[in-house]
Amino acid sequence: MIVSDLLDVADLRLRLAWGPPELLERPVTGVTSTDLQDPARYLQPGELVLSGLVWWQPDHPAGQALAMRFATSLRSAGVAALLAGEGTHGEVPTGLVEACRVHGIPLLSVPAGTSFRAVTDRVYLRLWGDLRTQSGEAATVPEGARRELIELMYAGAPAAQVLEQAVSRLGCGPCSLVSASGRAIATSTGATAPDPETIRLALPSPTSPTGPTGATAALPIGEGGDTPFDGWYLYPHAAGPGQAAMLHGLADVLATLWTRSRGAAADRRRAAERLSGLLTGAAPVHADELGEALASCGLPGDGPLVPVTARIDGLDVPWAADALAEALRSAPCEVFAVGADERGGAVAVVAVADPSRLTAALREVWPRLQARLPDRHLLRLGVGPRAGGRASELAAGLRQARYAMDAAAAAQPVACSVGASAELDSLAALVRGIPAEVAAAFRRRLLDPLTEHDRLTGGALLATLVSFLRHDCSWARTAEALHVHVNTVHYRIRRIEELTDRDLGRLDDRLDLRAALLCTPAPAAAR
């Protein structure tokens, strides 16, 4: 597929805003929807970029600079073309046309009556058709059955109905459609949905990309997803002899289902990124603007809503949004919106009344998603408090979710983690979320005099401080724990007070030193 093919699809009604013939021959590898002003990190070479131009501000004095920045981002990513929606501003801004001309990016306009989902569906269906033509596959599924299934999928039939028809028509035994987290999307009649752990063992892993082999190995639907978290798989509960080729062919045919789901997800992601931008931006948010953004995501404007955030440590590509979306599909929530943020992570707003129940569900599924990544790439997640539909509440809740995520990551540095703002209920939990550089500086300012004293004299002031605070500042119990005379404890505490300029008889000073100890990663910190 090349860019100019889109102009031949009559019902999309796309128009060429700018682009010489030679640039319209660029091959297309995929499509991504975004309304970020600098989306380069989220794009792949050869992709089409769909944008509603929410970032464009017609009256902004630096409007042309904004357009140039956006076009520069697209050029650096090596995209095939930009498809700009006319729905937000009524037309494609002339400044954007000029920016695309300067950077050599073909620009097509999408009329207000054409949904981005329709464009996405057409692109992926065409790409999939190209792959099938090149590979000559699908012969393992009888042509009549294949045609029936494709017609059923084009008619908008749900996944369960399509799978049931396929199993009945082909006689291939009970099957399930499953996601990367082991979630059962659909299961044919007569079979029980497999448990997620069974599915996890049947899926490809980071150490074995081809996956397990055998009668119950899960087969990728189509070419699989762009990330380890957005693909679908066909899981045969008990394949009969000689059915492997037919099951592979069925997995190929069912790719249209995944394509349809992916198109719907792209629309939701675009709306969610607008909501994410409002909550994370520096500019004040008008109530009507937020209400419109929530409504476009299908979220209630009056709550209850819970903000959630996620990231993947050690990974530069923006996969966190797909991981979080898949986790939320397994959680007890009716509606959610997930979008990428400017940090390379993900932000979600979830319509749910009980954050603790949501946290428990996410903790259950998070390790299964972690299994899709190498150990050095760790999934991090934070759940905020219940909030209403006001921007200030949601933004504050998102900040709490990010802090809880950082605190949980500090507590579990070598494993995936889920933190919740409701669990920041102690000084130890609160301190864990402080950035490492800030915590280290605070620790040094308060405790370095004691550490240096002990190093030079062989003393035990730091250990005495730990024990004294642990035993509620009891002289006798501290002396007993350290196996020294109580007078020795009195002497050491006085020396600690002199070196730190703190009075351990005052609560505030005791809290300062306790916080400094909690900032210490060594065992002496007694976390």
Side-chain angles (χ1 to χ4, degrees):
M1 178 183 183
I2 60 176
V3 175
S4 62
D5 289 339
L6 289 169
L7 298 172
D8 298 330
V9 183
D11 59 341
L12 292 181
R13 298 182 295 120
L14 303 183
R15 294 185 299 103
L16 180 64
W18 182 86
E22 62 272 17
L23 293 184
L24 297 180
E25 294 181 1
R26 287 178 174 176
V28 174
T29 61
V31 58
T32 292
S33 296
T34 182
D35 273 316
L36 298 177
Q37 190 181 357
D38 185 7
R41 69 172 69 183
Y42 307 116
L43 305 175
Q44 298 295 325
E47 283 188 323
L48 299 170
V49 176
L50 280 164
S51 178
L53 308 183
V54 174
W55 53 269
W56 174 262
Q57 301 175 45
D59 300 327
H60 197 286
Q64 187 59 38
L66 295 176
M68 283 294 182
R69 177 184 172 188
F70 183 70
T72 300
S73 179
L74 301 187
R75 185 188 64 180
S76 68
V79 305
L82 169 64
L83 279 65
E86 298 177 348
T88 302
H89 303 291
E91 62 179 357
V92 177
T94 56
L96 181 60
V97 176
E98 176 62 18
C100 287
R101 187 192 65 77
V102 169
H103 289 289
I105 301 169
L107 175 60
L108 281 64
S109 64
V110 183
T114 299
S115 73
F116 280 13
R117 176 177 176 177
V119 176
T120 302
D121 282 350
R122 287 305 186 93
V123 170
Y124 279 112
L125 286 173
R126 173 61 187 268
L127 289 174
W128 181 241
D130 290 347
L131 286 172
R132 292 179 61 80
T133 300
Q134 295 165 12
S135 66
E137 293 178 353
T140 51
V141 175
E143 181 60 28
R146 185 179 72 86
R147 187 166 53 251
E148 288 179 17
L149 294 174
I150 289 178
E151 289 176 356
L152 196 60
M153 288 184 282
Y154 274 122
Q161 182 182 349
V162 175
L163 183 63
E164 187 64 35
Q165 176 72 5
V167 169
S168 173
R169 187 75 164 78
L170 301 175
C172 56
C175 295
S176 291
L177 278 176
V178 298
S179 69
S181 69
R183 174 177 55 90
I185 299 165
T187 297
S188 62
T189 302
T192 302
D195 68 271
E197 181 60 20
T198 299
I199 297 301
R200 185 186 70 80
L201 297 175
L203 294 177
S205 69
T207 56
S208 177
T210 58
T213 58
T216 57
L219 307 174
I221 298 295
E223 293 295 298
D226 289 339
T227 77
F229 311 111
D230 69 342
W232 284 9
Y233 299 84
L234 177 65
Y235 175 76
H237 290 244
Q243 290 187 339
M246 182 170 58
L247 287 169
H248 278 279
L250 176 58
D252 289 338
V253 172
L254 294 176
T256 300
L257 276 178
W258 176 74
T259 298
R260 191 174 68 191
S261 171
R262 186 174 185 175
D267 274 356
R268 292 193 298 270
R269 181 70 56 82
R270 186 170 63 88
E273 285 180 355
R274 181 187 177 197
L275 176 59
S276 169
L278 291 176
L279 297 179
T280 57
V285 181
H286 193 275
D288 291 343
E289 187 179 16
L290 179 63
E292 181 184 343
L294 289 170
S296 68
C297 295
L299 293 164
D302 54 355
L305 300 171
V306 174
V308 181
T309 188
R311 71 169 189 261
I312 305 178
D313 286 350
L315 195 65
D316 292 332
V317 293
W319 290 355
D322 282 325
L324 181 52
E326 176 56 30
L328 288 170
R329 291 187 187 103
S330 302
C333 55
E334 294 184 1
V335 183
F336 63 85
V338 180
D341 64 19
E342 293 288 355
R343 304 180 180 186
V347 169
V349 177
V350 185
V352 65
D354 187 354
S356 62
R357 188 174 170 217
L358 174 63
T359 301
L362 292 173
R363 282 194 170 125
E364 182 178 348
V365 70
W366 211 232
R368 297 200 295 271
L369 292 171
Q370 177 64 61
R372 311 287 298 149
L373 291 171
D375 291 339
R376 65 182 181 276
H377 301 322
L378 296 174
L379 287 166
R380 306 300 191 188
L381 190 146
V383 180
R386 175 175 168 172
R390 292 190 300 176
S392 58
E393 286 185 62
L394 283 170
L398 180 58
R399 288 192 292 271
Q400 293 182 55
R402 283 176 167 167
Y403 196 92
M405 176 175 67
D406 291 341
Q412 298 176 270
V414 295
C416 67
S417 59
V418 176
S421 62
E423 296 167 355
L424 297 175
D425 55 1
S426 68
L427 180 61
L430 191 65
V431 165
R432 278 196 295 266
I434 297 174
E437 299 82 1
V438 176
F442 181 72
R443 180 187 69 240
R444 288 194 300 270
R445 280 194 291 270
L446 270 69
L447 300 184
D448 269 8
L450 306 185
T451 303
E452 185 66 10
H453 174 277
D454 290 348
R455 186 183 68 82
L456 294 175
T457 66
L461 294 187
L462 193 60
T464 300
L465 176 62
V466 171
S467 184
F468 188 65
L469 294 176
R470 181 182 297 164
H471 291 93
D472 303 321
C473 301
S474 167
W475 307 96
R477 284 190 289 149
T478 301
E480 182 180 357
L482 295 176
H483 306 290
V484 297
H485 194 276
V486 69
N487 288 343
T488 302
V489 176
H490 277 279
Y491 166 76
R492 291 179 180 176
I493 294 300
R494 284 197 302 271
R495 192 74 180 110
I496 290 170
E497 292 175 334
E498 291 171 358
L499 291 172
T500 62
D501 195 26
R502 294 296 193 277
D503 180 356
L504 284 165
R506 297 182 66 250
L507 177 60
D508 286 350
D509 288 354
R510 290 201 299 271
L511 287 174
D512 286 346
L513 292 172
R514 173 60 177 159
L517 290 169
L518 290 169
C519 288
T520 305
R527 287 181 182 268

